[in-house]
Amino acid sequence: MLIAERLNTIKSSLPKHVTLIAVSKTKPISSVEEAYKAGHIDFGENYVQELVEKHTQLPKDIHWHFIGHLQSNKVKYIAPFVYLIHGVDSLGLLKEINKQAKKNNRIISCLLQVHIAQEETKFGFNAEEVIELCDSKDIASLENIKLVGLMAMASNTEDTNQIESEFKQVKAIFDTLFSHSASNINMRILSCGMSGDYELAIKNGSTMIRIGSSIFGVR
Ligand SMILES: *Cc1c(COP(=O)(O)O)cnc(C)c1O
């Protein structure tokens, strides 16, 4: 019961307002089942095909979070069941999610990804772009999506001051957007923090953490 023990240890240490997403990417069905049997229902996946396979095989009350980089042409595969899409990084992608959500007669909740890390490779909007997007008429017309928050990844560094300053940046944007009020915007989730930095993320306002290796072991 190693997975369940690790999961419960982390869960019991979290403030009540923080939701834990167990990131099961590359891990077998049996590992997800072990966490599910321990009472956990929020799981995160990075790859569309893997997510679809796991959704097919596992209990239907699981909340599947898509946390990877989503390509527009793959939205249709996850639109029937995905619970929350974390890494939305373009208006085009948002429009495609809206279209597929409509086809499935659903409203899909999304987080906008904000680029805070120093590395060039991490996807996402900058602060001005995200605010501009939330103010645009484009958003208000997308009736089958709901923007419920922001997602970000800090730099992969040992420098905790750097990580903390990045988490503070995204929290500041989040606070700015909190009062934005198109009918399909309701910013309440800040998805920041992974195995190595989730405590710092929570200290700086995160309400949703995405933890893989500290629960399921190294990948
Ligand atoms: C893999 C991944 C995680 C989990 O990372 P760990 O370091 O294993 O906790 C969290 N968020 C995203 C976006 C990921 O790709």
Side-chain angles (χ1 to χ4, degrees), residues 23 25 46 67 151 153 194-195 210-213 219:
V23 177
K25 64 177 175 217
N46 286 55
I67 65 168
M151 178 268 209
M153 291 169 82
M194 318 189 351
S195 291
R210 310 175 308 266
I211 299 192
S213 44
R219 287 181 298 273

Side-chain angles (χ1 to χ4, degrees), residues 102-159:
K102 196 167 193 162
K103 275 192 188 164
N104 286 280
N105 203 17
R106 298 186 68 207
I107 291 175
I108 297 181
S109 295
C110 299
L111 307 180
L112 297 176
Q113 183 165 359
V114 181
H115 180 96
I116 50 172
Q118 291 172 311
E119 292 107 42
E120 284 293 327
T121 52
K122 298 213 167 116
F123 297 101
F125 298 102
N126 66 33
E128 296 77 48
E129 288 167 342
V130 91
I131 290 167
E132 198 179 304
L133 184 70
C134 288
D135 283 336
S136 76
K137 288 197 294 292
D138 287 318
I139 290 291
S141 68
L142 302 176
E143 294 176 342
N144 289 72
I145 56 120
K146 209 165 188 70
L147 290 184
V148 296
L150 301 179
M151 178 268 209
M153 291 169 82
S155 294
N156 186 8
T157 170
E158 300 286 301
D159 181 352

Side-chain angles (χ1 to χ4, degrees), residues 14-210:
L14 299 177
K16 279 211 162 47
H17 69 277
V18 175
T19 303
L20 168 64
I21 312 305
V23 177
S24 48
K25 64 177 175 217
T26 77
K27 296 295 175 180
I29 297 277
S30 59
S31 295
V32 181
E33 269 172 342
E34 186 174 344
Y36 177 79
K37 282 182 185 141
H40 199 71
I41 60 164
D42 286 286
F43 293 90
E45 288 285 338
N46 286 55
Y47 309 105
V48 167
Q49 194 183 340
E50 184 179 351
L51 171 54
V52 169
E53 274 168 26
K54 283 178 174 163
H55 169 260
T56 307
Q57 296 185 44
L58 284 157
K60 292 298 173 279
D61 61 340
I62 288 178
H63 295 169
W64 289 110
H65 296 249
F66 190 82
I67 65 168
H69 181 65
L70 183 56
Q71 292 170 286
S72 288
N73 61 355
K74 296 201 172 155
V75 173
K76 58 177 175 283
Y77 301 116
I78 63 171
F81 65 88
V82 70
Y83 184 77
L84 178 63
I85 299 176
H86 287 234
V88 177
D89 62 356
S90 74
L91 177 60
L93 178 58
L94 214 44
K95 285 180 173 167
E96 178 63 16
I97 295 169
N98 184 68
K99 181 176 151 193
Q100 298 299 334
K102 196 167 193 162
K103 275 192 188 164
N104 286 280
N105 203 17
R106 298 186 68 207
I107 291 175
I108 297 181
S109 295
C110 299
L111 307 180
L112 297 176
Q113 183 165 359
V114 181
H115 180 96
I116 50 172
Q118 291 172 311
E119 292 107 42
E120 284 293 327
T121 52
K122 298 213 167 116
F123 297 101
F125 298 102
N126 66 33
E128 296 77 48
E129 288 167 342
V130 91
I131 290 167
E132 198 179 304
L133 184 70
C134 288
D135 283 336
S136 76
K137 288 197 294 292
D138 287 318
I139 290 291
S141 68
L142 302 176
E143 294 176 342
N144 289 72
I145 56 120
K146 209 165 188 70
L147 290 184
V148 296
L150 301 179
M151 178 268 209
M153 291 169 82
S155 294
N156 186 8
T157 170
E158 300 286 301
D159 181 352
T160 53
N161 288 330
Q162 175 66 28
I163 294 171
E164 229 178 334
S165 91
E166 292 172 2
F167 286 144
K168 282 185 165 63
Q169 279 177 51
V170 66
K171 175 67 161 75
I173 303 168
F174 182 71
D175 288 343
T176 306
L177 291 172
F178 197 75
S179 57
H180 283 231
S181 58
S183 62
N184 56 354
I185 301 180
N186 177 12
M187 292 282 170
R188 54 193 168 76
I189 296 172
L190 186 52
S191 169
C192 290
M194 318 189 351
S195 291
D197 59 15
Y198 73 90
E199 280 152 329
L200 275 181
I202 292 170
K203 184 177 157 214
N204 290 286
S206 175
T207 68
M208 189 172 268
I209 58 176
R210 310 175 308 266

